[in-house]
Amino acid sequence: MTCPARLPDPLARAVADPKAYADMDTLHQTFAVIRRDYPFARAELPDYEPFWAACKFEDIQSIARQNEIFLSGLGALTPRASALGLTDQGFRSIVGMNPPDHGKYRVLTQGWLAPKNIRKLETDMRALARRYVDRMADSGGEIDFVGEIAVHYPLLVVMAILGVPPQDEPMMLRLTQEYFGNADEDLTRGGARTAEEIRIGLMETIAEVSDYFRRITEDRRRAPADDLASVIANARIDGELMPELDSLGYYITIAFAGHDTTSSSVAGGLWALAERPEELAKVKADPALIPGLVEESIRWTTPVQQFTRVAARDAEVRGQTVRKGEQVALCFPSGNRDEEVFEDPFAFRVDRNPIRHVAFGYGAHQCLGMHLARMEMAIFWEELLPRLKSVELAGSPKRTITNFVGGPKTLPVRFEMA
């Protein structure tokens, strides 16, 4: 199918602008228009490099599958360097690697995060989930679910897997929020507002993270332990210890993305249930629906909102020619509401079957931690739902201002527990 080649500027702006992702209801309406009229089209905005927006489920999967044609980029769309003043971030992440490096780096932790290996974490994970359910029960029946529960439980799980001290949790949470929320003045370092303040704050955050994990690396090389930090610190690539910039990128991927995406999905799921008591009643009556609740929460929230690919050569998508060097933005929230793939895509259904989504990405770069995320979420719901009698919104939730990784920023809820 051939489609119009040029995406109108107002629609292109919505795809690129981090502020648009703070109002997902409006953005989903925009994506619906794009899917209908401009399913794969080129955007030309004055403050962004030209990019193609892939908004259909099929196209997102096809592009992600062609790993040697559409190379992994630097994450989400960012303004031109002249507009924001951003420079090299000072590390190299596995999510931005391409063959042959990507495969060499991915295999280092792939087995560690496989389902058969993470099952040994279930007892400790369940105890931690129960602790936070108890915290809910003791809160008096009204809390900000994000600030009090959702951001803490997955973070402590990831910190335990990495092997970093639990007392460092406040620092790790702050650094994660500063990194992914660098366009959100509520989360930026020091409340940065101007482009220059944001740039300086982001560089300071990365420098602090770098210093922290450099010390972790030195410690694990002296005394390796049974944790992922030891795997990363002592990993060898082509016979040599992993370069420092690469190891920093690996730590950031595991420590930051490994918990922020899960906390967003848990919060997004509870937000949906708070607005749909009939869905809460379904899953409470039939715990066998919990895996479906997990997948629907991930589809519904889609915490990784976009990733860019760069064409290694000229290629054709939906009748359009993408030239070598051009960017393609994979718009995951749009793909996860595609009317051609999902029946009633704007409904939240705990019994949706089957659930195919692209929230974990697709192809060679599919999320390394997806099995861990599913397990964390399932255990949390298994602990919460038998005790949760009712839940409703106690105010207006807010979402993070970001076009990269994010979700609910606040979620005030009122609830009754058994």
Side-chain angles (χ1 to χ4, degrees):
M1 169 187 173
T2 302
C3 57
R6 175 70 186 270
L7 186 64
D9 285 0
L11 301 182
R13 178 67 59 189
V15 172
D17 187 0
K19 291 185 176 65
Y21 292 78
D23 181 1
M24 286 301 292
D25 288 342
T26 299
L27 183 59
H28 278 307
Q29 294 173 16
T30 302
F31 275 136
V33 173
I34 296 174
R35 285 194 300 274
R36 184 192 67 209
D37 298 336
Y38 308 93
F40 187 79
R42 192 172 189 269
E44 297 181 13
L45 296 171
D47 49 338
Y48 285 80
E49 295 293 339
F51 65 89
W52 292 83
C55 292
K56 295 287 289 180
F57 186 97
E58 177 186 357
D59 295 339
I60 292 169
Q61 283 198 332
S62 175
I63 292 165
R65 188 186 301 117
Q66 298 177 72
N67 195 45
E68 296 188 4
I69 298 175
F70 294 99
L71 304 180
S72 189
L74 296 176
L77 294 167
T78 57
R80 297 178 191 268
S82 58
L84 187 58
L86 289 175
T87 56
D88 179 60
Q89 290 192 323
F91 64 86
R92 196 168 74 119
S93 172
I94 183 175
V95 297
M97 292 181 185
N98 295 288
D101 286 352
H102 178 253
K104 297 176 184 178
Y105 281 77
R106 186 178 175 93
V107 74
L108 297 173
T109 57
Q110 197 163 23
W112 220 99
L113 294 168
K116 65 179 181 180
N117 196 51
I118 62 173
R119 276 195 289 269
K120 67 184 181 183
L121 307 171
E122 179 175 354
T123 299
D124 290 343
M125 200 181 295
R126 192 171 296 280
L128 189 59
R130 192 172 297 131
R131 185 208 305 177
Y132 279 93
V133 172
D134 289 343
R135 178 177 292 186
M136 282 186 67
D138 294 340
S139 69
E142 191 167 323
I143 59 169
D144 170 14
F145 181 77
V146 172
E148 295 295 326
I149 307 296
V151 297
H152 299 290
Y153 163 61
L155 174 55
L156 286 170
V157 170
V158 167
M159 290 178 67
I161 291 171
L162 268 173
V164 299
Q167 61 265 29
D168 291 345
E169 184 210 3
M171 178 197 68
M172 295 294 290
L173 178 58
R174 172 179 59 80
L175 293 173
T176 303
Q177 292 175 334
E178 289 175 356
Y179 180 70
F180 286 134
N182 64 77
D184 191 321
E185 65 184 42
D186 290 339
L187 302 176
T188 54
R189 194 177 186 96
R193 294 172 182 268
T194 68
E196 180 63 10
E197 288 173 342
I198 291 170
R199 184 191 69 79
I200 292 172
L202 185 56
M203 294 303 104
E204 288 177 351
T205 295
I206 292 171
E208 186 176 350
V209 175
S210 181
D211 289 343
Y212 180 81
F213 282 114
R214 187 177 294 115
R215 293 193 298 270
I216 294 290
T217 295
E218 292 169 356
D219 177 77
R220 292 309 193 277
R221 286 180 179 171
R222 286 193 304 266
D226 183 20
D227 56 37
L228 269 182
S230 296
V231 173
I232 296 169
N234 295 285
R236 291 184 175 269
I237 301 295
D238 297 329
E240 301 291 334
L241 285 170
M242 188 189 304
E244 183 176 288
L245 295 184
D246 295 356
S247 62
L248 174 61
Y250 222 128
Y251 285 126
I252 288 176
T253 300
I254 299 291
F256 289 5
H259 80 86
D260 195 74
T261 51
T262 305
S263 63
S264 291
S265 296
V266 171
L270 191 74
W271 183 348
L273 293 177
E275 294 181 321
R276 298 165 180 81
E278 71 283 0
E279 295 300 310
L280 176 61
K282 280 183 193 176
V283 71
K284 280 181 61 63
D286 184 3
L289 293 175
I290 286 177
L293 169 60
V294 169
E295 296 301 326
E296 184 71 338
S297 298
I298 296 168
R299 179 191 78 89
W300 187 254
T301 310
T302 312
V304 179
Q305 292 155 359
Q306 62 179 235
F307 234 96
T308 59
R309 295 296 182 99
V310 178
R313 59 173 174 79
D314 289 1
E316 185 173 296
V317 179
R318 203 171 281 266
Q320 305 291 344
T321 299
V322 180
R323 299 297 181 188
K324 178 181 178 179
E326 290 187 327
Q327 294 185 99
V328 180
L330 304 182
C331 302
F332 298 123
S334 179
N336 282 337
R337 295 292 196 281
D338 192 333
E339 299 83 355
E340 292 185 6
V341 176
F342 301 97
E343 180 184 351
D344 199 4
F346 293 94
F348 182 93
R349 295 178 177 172
V350 297
D351 55 356
R352 184 180 294 277
N353 187 34
I355 302 180
R356 296 188 300 140
H357 60 71
V358 287
F360 287 124
Y362 195 75
H365 280 278
Q366 192 168 40
C367 177
L368 264 171
M370 62 183 179
H371 303 300
L372 177 64
R374 286 172 168 139
M375 183 175 171
E376 288 177 75
M377 292 179 66
I379 287 174
F380 182 81
W381 293 122
E382 287 166 5
E383 294 297 322
L384 175 63
L385 290 174
R387 299 174 62 182
L388 184 65
K389 291 184 177 180
S390 64
V391 62
E392 63 183 9
L393 296 181
S396 298
K398 295 181 180 179
R399 291 182 58 94
T400 303
I401 296 172
T402 178
N403 63 358
F404 188 23
V405 177
K409 180 170 61 176
T410 64
L411 180 59
V413 292
R414 186 180 302 112
F415 54 91
E416 185 179 359
M417 302 270 292

